[in-house]
Amino acid sequence: MPSESATRERLDAATRPLDPPLAAVDLPALRANVADLARRAGGTPIRVASKSVRSRAVLEEALGSGLTANGGFRGVMSYSLREAIWLVRAGARDVLMGYPVTDRGALAELASDPLLLESITLMIDCPEHLDVVHAAAGSSAVPARVCLDVDASLRIGPVHLGVRRSPLRTPESAAAVARAAKRRGFSVVGVMFYEAQIAGLPDTSAAVRLVKRASAAELSTRRGLVVDAVTAIAGTLEIVNSGGTGSLEVSSADRVVTEVTAGSGLFVPTLFDRYRSFTPRPAMFFALSAVRRPTPKIATLFSGGYIASGPAGASRVPTPVWPAGLALLRNEGAGEVQTPVTGLAAGALRIGDRVWFRHAKAGELCERFTDLHLVDADGTRTTVPTYRGEGQCFG
């Protein structure tokens, strides 16, 4: 991979005619990340998490890598049913919902269209989700495909390590929902396990790595039992989905897993800088312009308050990376209209100079921009729309 200075020079040169704020993607890094994710999955197909991308062109860049004998990318995990419908209308044929849906209008559209019913798999974790589908469709006969979301957290006594997602956890509870779905005419095609305490937790200490190993061992045993229980009700499952960017090796090693999911690993935001399982190659950046100099040691940039979701704190703010030696002011941070920076490099910034940042999370930056400027190794720039640039906002 090119050095940081070479990457910066190439991004600067390719976007020089453009006025910041702007977002750019380093294509060599993106493609290297695509290849590395496939390598880490060890031949298990990877489903792209669209919420971490939010640009059809970038989704196509990943999915265009194909599914070969050695693995690759196949299908999309969507975060909104309206988004899933939009993607199918644009040509996608394998979209798994990552979350349950209560959007009545979107469910009614799904139920009325055979192509959508064939291409989209709904996520459920309780019989009430089935009731919502029937009510939205105005019918008790909706042959929709469904996947069960099963809690993948680690529980040690009263301690819960992981995210709060599904009420399903045991083979018995999963089988009960599968039985209810089948009885009501749904097609149960899969189960999903998202082990956030492995995939989304940086390797910051030996204690964290110990927890990850313990969680992987517990989940591997329980996942097999859940799959067996659901298979006994629904027959052979098409989908046993697991993992995330931070846990591809662990998830794909389980013999019952048929596919893994990744999305953030394409862009590699700052939240993924401290993982030991892979070498981060940042691929997405955004640039702001210096608009004032309130003191000789501070430069103020236009815009930049692109704060990531999750628990509020320093890990969710953007990070200035070029020129090196800049930092946000603790009492102002990244602002809605202006972002002051200080540090050794601030004194050299002139009005109109650029500062490049990285976002804390991946696809969320695309909610702030209508375009992404894809910059290739030879400096060629291709401008593609984000979801926002195509007039889409899915929440």
CSV table of all heavy atoms in Angstrom, one decimal, residues 322-376:
chain,number,residue,atom,x,y,z
A,322,TRP,N,-4.5,14.7,8.5
A,322,TRP,CA,-3.5,15.4,7.6
A,322,TRP,C,-3.8,16.9,7.6
A,322,TRP,O,-5.0,17.2,7.3
A,322,TRP,CB,-3.5,14.8,6.2
A,322,TRP,CG,-3.2,13.4,6.1
A,322,TRP,CD1,-2.2,12.7,6.8
A,322,TRP,CD2,-3.9,12.4,5.3
A,322,TRP,NE1,-2.2,11.4,6.4
A,322,TRP,CE2,-3.2,11.2,5.5
A,322,TRP,CE3,-4.9,12.5,4.4
A,322,TRP,CZ2,-3.6,10.0,4.8
A,322,TRP,CZ3,-5.3,11.4,3.7
A,322,TRP,CH2,-4.7,10.1,3.9
A,323,PRO,N,-2.9,17.8,7.8
A,323,PRO,CA,-1.5,17.5,8.2
A,323,PRO,C,-1.4,16.9,9.6
A,323,PRO,O,-2.3,17.2,10.4
A,323,PRO,CB,-0.9,18.9,8.1
A,323,PRO,CG,-2.0,19.9,8.3
A,323,PRO,CD,-3.2,19.2,7.7
A,324,ALA,N,-0.4,16.2,9.9
A,324,ALA,CA,-0.2,15.6,11.2
A,324,ALA,C,0.0,16.6,12.2
A,324,ALA,O,0.5,17.7,12.0
A,324,ALA,CB,1.0,14.6,11.1
A,325,GLY,N,-0.3,16.3,13.5
A,325,GLY,CA,-0.1,17.2,14.6
A,325,GLY,C,-1.2,18.1,14.9
A,325,GLY,O,-1.0,19.1,15.6
A,326,LEU,N,-2.4,17.8,14.5
A,326,LEU,CA,-3.6,18.6,14.8
A,326,LEU,C,-4.5,17.9,15.8
A,326,LEU,O,-4.5,16.6,15.8
A,326,LEU,CB,-4.4,18.9,13.5
A,326,LEU,CG,-3.7,19.8,12.5
A,326,LEU,CD1,-4.6,19.9,11.2
A,326,LEU,CD2,-3.4,21.2,13.1
A,327,ALA,N,-5.2,18.6,16.6
A,327,ALA,CA,-6.2,18.1,17.5
A,327,ALA,C,-7.3,19.0,17.7
A,327,ALA,O,-7.2,20.2,17.5
A,327,ALA,CB,-5.5,17.9,18.9
A,328,LEU,N,-8.5,18.5,18.0
A,328,LEU,CA,-9.7,19.3,18.3
A,328,LEU,C,-9.5,20.0,19.7
A,328,LEU,O,-8.8,19.5,20.6
A,328,LEU,CB,-10.9,18.4,18.3
A,328,LEU,CG,-11.2,17.6,17.1
A,328,LEU,CD1,-12.5,16.8,17.3
A,328,LEU,CD2,-11.4,18.5,15.9
A,329,LEU,N,-10.2,21.1,19.9
A,329,LEU,CA,-10.2,21.8,21.2
A,329,LEU,C,-11.1,21.0,22.1
A,329,LEU,O,-12.3,20.7,21.7
A,329,LEU,CB,-10.6,23.2,21.0
A,329,LEU,CG,-9.8,24.1,20.1
A,329,LEU,CD1,-10.3,25.6,20.2
A,329,LEU,CD2,-8.3,24.0,20.5
A,330,ARG,N,-10.7,20.7,23.3
A,330,ARG,CA,-11.5,20.0,24.2
A,330,ARG,C,-12.9,20.6,24.6
A,330,ARG,O,-13.9,20.0,24.8
A,330,ARG,CB,-10.8,19.7,25.5
A,330,ARG,CG,-9.6,18.8,25.3
A,330,ARG,CD,-8.8,18.5,26.6
A,330,ARG,NE,-9.7,17.8,27.5
A,330,ARG,CZ,-9.3,17.4,28.8
A,330,ARG,NH1,-8.1,17.7,29.2
A,330,ARG,NH2,-10.2,16.8,29.5
A,331,ASN,N,-12.9,22.0,24.6
A,331,ASN,CA,-14.1,22.7,25.0
A,331,ASN,C,-15.0,23.0,23.8
A,331,ASN,O,-16.1,23.5,24.0
A,331,ASN,CB,-13.8,24.0,25.8
A,331,ASN,CG,-13.0,25.0,24.9
A,331,ASN,OD1,-12.3,24.6,24.0
A,331,ASN,ND2,-13.2,26.2,25.2
A,332,GLU,N,-14.6,22.7,22.6
A,332,GLU,CA,-15.5,22.9,21.4
A,332,GLU,C,-15.7,21.7,20.6
A,332,GLU,O,-16.8,21.4,20.1
A,332,GLU,CB,-14.9,24.0,20.6
A,332,GLU,CG,-14.9,25.4,21.2
A,332,GLU,CD,-14.7,26.5,20.2
A,332,GLU,OE1,-15.3,26.5,19.1
A,332,GLU,OE2,-13.8,27.4,20.5
A,333,GLY,N,-14.7,20.8,20.4
A,333,GLY,CA,-14.8,19.6,19.6
A,333,GLY,C,-15.1,19.9,18.2
A,333,GLY,O,-14.7,21.0,17.6
A,334,ALA,N,-15.8,19.0,17.5
A,334,ALA,CA,-16.2,19.2,16.1
A,334,ALA,C,-17.5,19.9,16.0
A,334,ALA,O,-18.5,19.3,16.6
A,334,ALA,CB,-16.2,17.8,15.4
A,335,GLY,N,-17.6,21.0,15.4
A,335,GLY,CA,-18.8,21.8,15.5
A,335,GLY,C,-19.7,21.7,14.2
A,335,GLY,O,-19.3,21.3,13.2
A,336,GLU,N,-21.0,22.1,14.5
A,336,GLU,CA,-22.0,22.1,13.4
A,336,GLU,C,-21.5,23.0,12.2
A,336,GLU,O,-21.7,22.6,11.0
A,336,GLU,CB,-23.3,22.6,13.9
A,336,GLU,CG,-24.4,22.6,12.9
A,336,GLU,CD,-25.7,23.2,13.5
A,336,GLU,OE1,-25.7,23.7,14.6
A,336,GLU,OE2,-26.7,23.1,12.8
A,337,VAL,N,-21.0,24.2,12.5
A,337,VAL,CA,-20.6,25.1,11.4
A,337,VAL,C,-19.1,25.3,11.5
A,337,VAL,O,-18.5,25.5,10.4
A,337,VAL,CB,-21.3,26.4,11.6
A,337,VAL,CG1,-20.8,27.4,10.6
A,337,VAL,CG2,-22.8,26.2,11.4
A,338,GLN,N,-18.4,25.3,12.6
A,338,GLN,CA,-17.0,25.5,12.6
A,338,GLN,C,-16.3,24.5,13.6
A,338,GLN,O,-16.9,24.2,14.7
A,338,GLN,CB,-16.7,26.9,13.0
A,338,GLN,CG,-17.1,27.4,14.3
A,338,GLN,CD,-16.6,28.8,14.6
A,338,GLN,OE1,-16.6,29.7,13.7
A,338,GLN,NE2,-16.2,29.1,15.8
A,339,THR,N,-15.1,24.1,13.2
A,339,THR,CA,-14.4,23.1,14.0
A,339,THR,C,-12.9,23.7,14.2
A,339,THR,O,-12.1,23.7,13.3
A,339,THR,CB,-14.3,21.8,13.3
A,339,THR,OG1,-15.6,21.2,13.2
A,339,THR,CG2,-13.4,20.8,14.0
A,340,PRO,N,-12.6,24.2,15.4
A,340,PRO,CA,-11.3,24.7,15.6
A,340,PRO,C,-10.3,23.6,15.8
A,340,PRO,O,-10.6,22.6,16.5
A,340,PRO,CB,-11.4,25.5,16.9
A,340,PRO,CG,-12.9,25.6,17.2
A,340,PRO,CD,-13.5,24.5,16.5
A,341,VAL,N,-9.1,23.7,15.3
A,341,VAL,CA,-8.0,22.7,15.6
A,341,VAL,C,-6.8,23.5,16.1
A,341,VAL,O,-6.5,24.6,15.7
A,341,VAL,CB,-7.7,21.9,14.3
A,341,VAL,CG1,-8.8,21.0,13.9
A,341,VAL,CG2,-7.3,22.8,13.1
A,342,THR,N,-6.0,22.8,16.9
A,342,THR,CA,-4.8,23.3,17.4
A,342,THR,C,-3.7,22.3,17.3
A,342,THR,O,-3.9,21.2,16.7
A,342,THR,CB,-5.0,23.7,18.9
A,342,THR,OG1,-3.8,24.4,19.3
A,342,THR,CG2,-5.2,22.5,19.8
A,343,GLY,N,-2.5,22.6,17.7
A,343,GLY,CA,-1.4,21.7,17.6
A,343,GLY,C,-0.3,22.3,16.8
A,343,GLY,O,-0.4,23.4,16.3
A,344,LEU,N,0.8,21.5,16.6
A,344,LEU,CA,2.0,22.0,16.0
A,344,LEU,C,1.7,22.5,14.5
A,344,LEU,O,2.3,23.4,14.1
A,344,LEU,CB,3.1,20.9,16.0
A,344,LEU,CG,3.6,20.5,17.3
A,344,LEU,CD1,4.6,19.4,17.2
A,344,LEU,CD2,4.3,21.7,18.0
A,345,ALA,N,0.8,21.8,13.8
A,345,ALA,CA,0.6,22.1,12.4
A,345,ALA,C,-0.4,23.3,12.3
A,345,ALA,O,-0.5,23.8,11.2
A,345,ALA,CB,0.0,20.9,11.7
A,346,ALA,N,-1.1,23.6,13.3
A,346,ALA,CA,-2.2,24.7,13.2
A,346,ALA,C,-1.6,26.0,12.8
A,346,ALA,O,-2.2,26.8,12.1
A,346,ALA,CB,-3.0,24.8,14.5
A,347,GLY,N,-0.4,26.3,13.4
A,347,GLY,CA,0.2,27.6,13.1
A,347,GLY,C,0.5,27.8,11.6
A,347,GLY,O,0.6,29.0,11.2
A,348,ALA,N,0.7,26.7,10.9
A,348,ALA,CA,1.1,26.8,9.5
A,348,ALA,C,-0.1,26.8,8.5
A,348,ALA,O,0.1,27.1,7.3
A,348,ALA,CB,2.0,25.7,9.1
A,349,LEU,N,-1.3,26.6,9.1
A,349,LEU,CA,-2.5,26.6,8.2
A,349,LEU,C,-2.9,28.0,7.8
A,349,LEU,O,-2.9,28.9,8.6
A,349,LEU,CB,-3.7,25.9,8.9
A,349,LEU,CG,-3.6,24.4,9.1
A,349,LEU,CD1,-4.8,23.9,9.9
A,349,LEU,CD2,-3.6,23.7,7.8
A,350,ARG,N,-3.1,28.2,6.5
A,350,ARG,CA,-3.6,29.5,6.0
A,350,ARG,C,-5.0,29.4,5.6
A,350,ARG,O,-5.6,28.3,5.5
A,350,ARG,CB,-2.7,29.8,4.7
A,350,ARG,CG,-1.2,30.0,5.0
A,350,ARG,CD,-0.5,30.0,3.7
A,350,ARG,NE,-0.7,28.7,2.9
A,350,ARG,CZ,-0.2,28.5,1.7
A,350,ARG,NH1,0.5,29.4,1.1
A,350,ARG,NH2,-0.4,27.3,1.1
A,351,ILE,N,-5.7,30.5,5.5
A,351,ILE,CA,-7.1,30.6,5.1
A,351,ILE,C,-7.2,29.8,3.7
A,351,ILE,O,-6.5,30.1,2.8
A,351,ILE,CB,-7.6,32.0,4.9
A,351,ILE,CG1,-7.4,32.8,6.3
A,351,ILE,CG2,-9.0,32.0,4.4
A,351,ILE,CD1,-8.2,32.2,7.4
A,352,GLY,N,-8.1,28.9,3.7
A,352,GLY,CA,-8.3,28.1,2.5
A,352,GLY,C,-7.6,26.8,2.4
A,352,GLY,O,-7.9,25.9,1.6
A,353,ASP,N,-6.7,26.6,3.3
A,353,ASP,CA,-6.0,25.3,3.4
A,353,ASP,C,-6.9,24.2,3.8
A,353,ASP,O,-7.9,24.4,4.5
A,353,ASP,CB,-4.8,25.3,4.3
A,353,ASP,CG,-3.6,26.0,3.8
A,353,ASP,OD1,-3.6,26.3,2.5
A,353,ASP,OD2,-2.6,26.2,4.5
A,354,ARG,N,-6.6,22.9,3.4
A,354,ARG,CA,-7.4,21.8,3.8
A,354,ARG,C,-6.8,21.0,5.0
A,354,ARG,O,-5.6,20.9,5.1
A,354,ARG,CB,-7.5,20.8,2.6
A,354,ARG,CG,-8.3,21.3,1.5
A,354,ARG,CD,-8.4,20.2,0.4
A,354,ARG,NE,-9.1,20.6,-0.7
A,354,ARG,CZ,-9.4,19.9,-1.8
A,354,ARG,NH1,-8.8,18.7,-1.9
A,354,ARG,NH2,-10.1,20.4,-2.8
A,355,VAL,N,-7.8,20.4,5.7
A,355,VAL,CA,-7.4,19.5,6.7
A,355,VAL,C,-8.3,18.2,6.5
A,355,VAL,O,-9.5,18.3,6.3
A,355,VAL,CB,-7.7,20.0,8.1
A,355,VAL,CG1,-7.5,18.9,9.2
A,355,VAL,CG2,-6.8,21.2,8.4
A,356,TRP,N,-7.6,17.1,6.4
A,356,TRP,CA,-8.3,15.8,6.2
A,356,TRP,C,-8.6,15.1,7.5
A,356,TRP,O,-7.7,15.1,8.4
A,356,TRP,CB,-7.4,14.9,5.3
A,356,TRP,CG,-7.3,15.3,3.9
A,356,TRP,CD1,-6.4,16.1,3.3
A,356,TRP,CD2,-8.2,15.0,2.8
A,356,TRP,NE1,-6.6,16.3,2.0
A,356,TRP,CE2,-7.7,15.6,1.6
A,356,TRP,CE3,-9.4,14.2,2.7
A,356,TRP,CZ2,-8.4,15.5,0.4
A,356,TRP,CZ3,-10.0,14.1,1.5
A,356,TRP,CH2,-9.5,14.7,0.4
A,357,PHE,N,-9.8,14.5,7.6
A,357,PHE,CA,-10.2,13.8,8.8
A,357,PHE,C,-10.6,12.4,8.5
A,357,PHE,O,-10.9,12.0,7.3
A,357,PHE,CB,-11.5,14.5,9.4
A,357,PHE,CG,-11.3,15.8,10.1
A,357,PHE,CD1,-11.0,17.0,9.4
A,357,PHE,CD2,-11.4,15.9,11.4
A,357,PHE,CE1,-10.8,18.2,10.0
A,357,PHE,CE2,-11.2,17.1,12.1
A,357,PHE,CZ,-10.9,18.2,11.4
A,358,ARG,N,-10.7,11.6,9.5
A,358,ARG,CA,-11.3,10.3,9.4
A,358,ARG,C,-12.5,10.3,10.4
A,358,ARG,O,-12.5,10.9,11.5
A,358,ARG,CB,-10.4,9.1,9.8
A,358,ARG,CG,-9.3,8.9,8.8
A,358,ARG,CD,-8.3,7.9,9.3
A,358,ARG,NE,-8.9,6.6,9.6
A,358,ARG,CZ,-8.5,5.7,10.5
A,358,ARG,NH1,-7.4,6.0,11.2
A,358,ARG,NH2,-9.1,4.6,10.7
A,359,HIS,N,-13.6,9.6,10.0
A,359,HIS,CA,-14.8,9.5,10.8
A,359,HIS,C,-14.6,8.3,11.8
A,359,HIS,O,-13.8,7.4,11.6
A,359,HIS,CB,-16.0,9.3,10.0
A,359,HIS,CG,-17.3,9.6,10.6
A,359,HIS,ND1,-18.1,8.6,11.2
A,359,HIS,CD2,-17.9,10.8,10.8
A,359,HIS,CE1,-19.2,9.2,11.7
A,359,HIS,NE2,-19.1,10.5,11.5
A,360,ALA,N,-15.4,8.4,12.9
A,360,ALA,CA,-15.3,7.3,13.9
A,360,ALA,C,-16.0,6.0,13.4
A,360,ALA,O,-15.6,4.9,13.8
A,360,ALA,CB,-15.9,7.7,15.2
A,361,LYS,N,-17.1,6.2,12.6
A,361,LYS,CA,-17.8,5.0,12.1
A,361,LYS,C,-17.8,5.1,10.6
A,361,LYS,O,-17.3,6.0,10.0
A,361,LYS,CB,-19.2,4.9,12.7
A,361,LYS,CG,-19.2,4.7,14.2
A,361,LYS,CD,-20.5,4.4,14.7
A,361,LYS,CE,-21.0,3.0,14.5
A,361,LYS,NZ,-22.2,2.6,15.3
A,362,ALA,N,-18.3,4.1,9.9
A,362,ALA,CA,-18.2,3.9,8.5
A,362,ALA,C,-19.2,4.7,7.7
A,362,ALA,O,-19.1,5.8,7.3
A,362,ALA,CB,-18.1,2.5,8.1
A,363,GLY,N,-20.4,4.0,7.4
A,363,GLY,CA,-21.4,4.6,6.5
A,363,GLY,C,-22.0,5.8,7.0
A,363,GLY,O,-22.6,6.5,6.2
A,364,GLU,N,-22.0,6.1,8.3
A,364,GLU,CA,-22.7,7.3,8.8
A,364,GLU,C,-22.2,8.6,8.2
A,364,GLU,O,-23.0,9.5,8.1
A,364,GLU,CB,-22.6,7.4,10.3
A,364,GLU,CG,-23.4,6.3,11.1
A,364,GLU,CD,-23.3,6.4,12.6
A,364,GLU,OE1,-22.9,7.5,13.1
A,364,GLU,OE2,-23.6,5.4,13.2
A,365,LEU,N,-21.0,8.6,7.8
A,365,LEU,CA,-20.5,9.8,7.1
A,365,LEU,C,-21.2,10.1,5.8
A,365,LEU,O,-21.4,11.3,5.5
A,365,LEU,CB,-19.0,9.7,6.8
A,365,LEU,CG,-18.3,10.9,6.2
A,365,LEU,CD1,-18.3,12.1,7.2
A,365,LEU,CD2,-16.8,10.6,5.8
A,366,CYS,N,-21.7,9.1,5.2
A,366,CYS,CA,-22.5,9.3,3.9
A,366,CYS,C,-23.8,10.0,4.1
A,366,CYS,O,-24.4,10.5,3.2
A,366,CYS,CB,-22.7,8.0,3.2
A,366,CYS,SG,-21.2,7.2,2.6
A,367,GLU,N,-24.3,10.1,5.4
A,367,GLU,CA,-25.5,10.9,5.6
A,367,GLU,C,-25.2,12.4,5.6
A,367,GLU,O,-26.1,13.2,5.5
A,367,GLU,CB,-26.1,10.5,7.0
A,367,GLU,CG,-26.6,9.1,7.1
A,367,GLU,CD,-27.8,8.8,6.2
A,367,GLU,OE1,-28.5,9.7,5.9
A,367,GLU,OE2,-27.9,7.6,5.7
A,368,ARG,N,-23.9,12.7,5.6
A,368,ARG,CA,-23.5,14.2,5.6
A,368,ARG,C,-23.1,14.6,4.2
A,368,ARG,O,-22.9,15.8,4.0
A,368,ARG,CB,-22.4,14.4,6.5
A,368,ARG,CG,-22.7,14.1,8.0
A,368,ARG,CD,-23.6,15.2,8.5
A,368,ARG,NE,-23.8,15.1,10.0
A,368,ARG,CZ,-24.2,16.1,10.7
A,368,ARG,NH1,-24.5,17.2,10.2
A,368,ARG,NH2,-24.3,15.9,12.0
A,369,PHE,N,-23.0,13.7,3.2
A,369,PHE,CA,-22.5,14.1,1.9
A,369,PHE,C,-23.4,13.5,0.8
A,369,PHE,O,-23.9,12.3,1.0
A,369,PHE,CB,-21.1,13.6,1.7
A,369,PHE,CG,-20.1,14.3,2.5
A,369,PHE,CD1,-19.7,13.9,3.8
A,369,PHE,CD2,-19.5,15.5,2.1
A,369,PHE,CE1,-18.8,14.5,4.6
A,369,PHE,CE2,-18.6,16.2,2.9
A,369,PHE,CZ,-18.3,15.7,4.1
A,370,THR,N,-23.6,14.2,-0.3
A,370,THR,CA,-24.4,13.7,-1.4
A,370,THR,C,-23.5,12.9,-2.4
A,370,THR,O,-24.0,12.1,-3.2
A,370,THR,CB,-25.0,14.8,-2.2
A,370,THR,OG1,-24.1,15.7,-2.6
A,370,THR,CG2,-26.1,15.5,-1.3
A,371,ASP,N,-22.1,13.1,-2.3
A,371,ASP,CA,-21.2,12.5,-3.2
A,371,ASP,C,-20.0,11.9,-2.5
A,371,ASP,O,-19.6,12.4,-1.5
A,371,ASP,CB,-20.7,13.5,-4.3
A,371,ASP,CG,-21.8,14.0,-5.1
A,371,ASP,OD1,-22.5,13.3,-5.7
A,371,ASP,OD2,-21.9,15.3,-5.2
A,372,LEU,N,-19.5,10.8,-3.1
A,372,LEU,CA,-18.2,10.3,-2.7
A,372,LEU,C,-17.3,10.4,-3.9
A,372,LEU,O,-17.7,10.1,-5.0
A,372,LEU,CB,-18.3,8.8,-2.2
A,372,LEU,CG,-19.0,8.5,-1.0
A,372,LEU,CD1,-19.1,7.0,-0.8
A,372,LEU,CD2,-18.5,9.2,0.2
A,373,HIS,N,-16.1,10.9,-3.7
A,373,HIS,CA,-15.1,11.0,-4.7
A,373,HIS,C,-14.1,9.8,-4.6
A,373,HIS,O,-13.3,9.8,-3.7
A,373,HIS,CB,-14.4,12.3,-4.7
A,373,HIS,CG,-15.3,13.5,-4.7
A,373,HIS,ND1,-16.0,13.9,-5.8
A,373,HIS,CD2,-15.7,14.3,-3.7
A,373,HIS,CE1,-16.8,14.9,-5.6
A,373,HIS,NE2,-16.6,15.2,-4.3
A,374,LEU,N,-14.2,8.8,-5.5
A,374,LEU,CA,-13.4,7.7,-5.5
A,374,LEU,C,-12.1,8.0,-6.3
A,374,LEU,O,-12.1,8.3,-7.5
A,374,LEU,CB,-14.1,6.5,-6.2
A,374,LEU,CG,-15.6,6.2,-5.7
A,374,LEU,CD1,-16.1,5.0,-6.4
A,374,LEU,CD2,-15.7,6.1,-4.2
A,375,VAL,N,-11.0,7.8,-5.6
A,375,VAL,CA,-9.7,8.2,-6.2
A,375,VAL,C,-8.9,6.9,-6.4
A,375,VAL,O,-8.6,6.2,-5.4
A,375,VAL,CB,-8.9,9.2,-5.3
A,375,VAL,CG1,-7.6,9.5,-5.9
A,375,VAL,CG2,-9.8,10.5,-5.1
A,376,ASP,N,-8.5,6.6,-7.6
A,376,ASP,CA,-7.8,5.4,-8.0
A,376,ASP,C,-6.3,5.6,-7.8
A,376,ASP,O,-5.8,6.8,-7.6
A,376,ASP,CB,-8.1,5.0,-9.4
A,376,ASP,CG,-8.2,3.5,-9.5
A,376,ASP,OD1,-7.5,2.8,-8.8
A,376,ASP,OD2,-9.0,3.0,-10.3
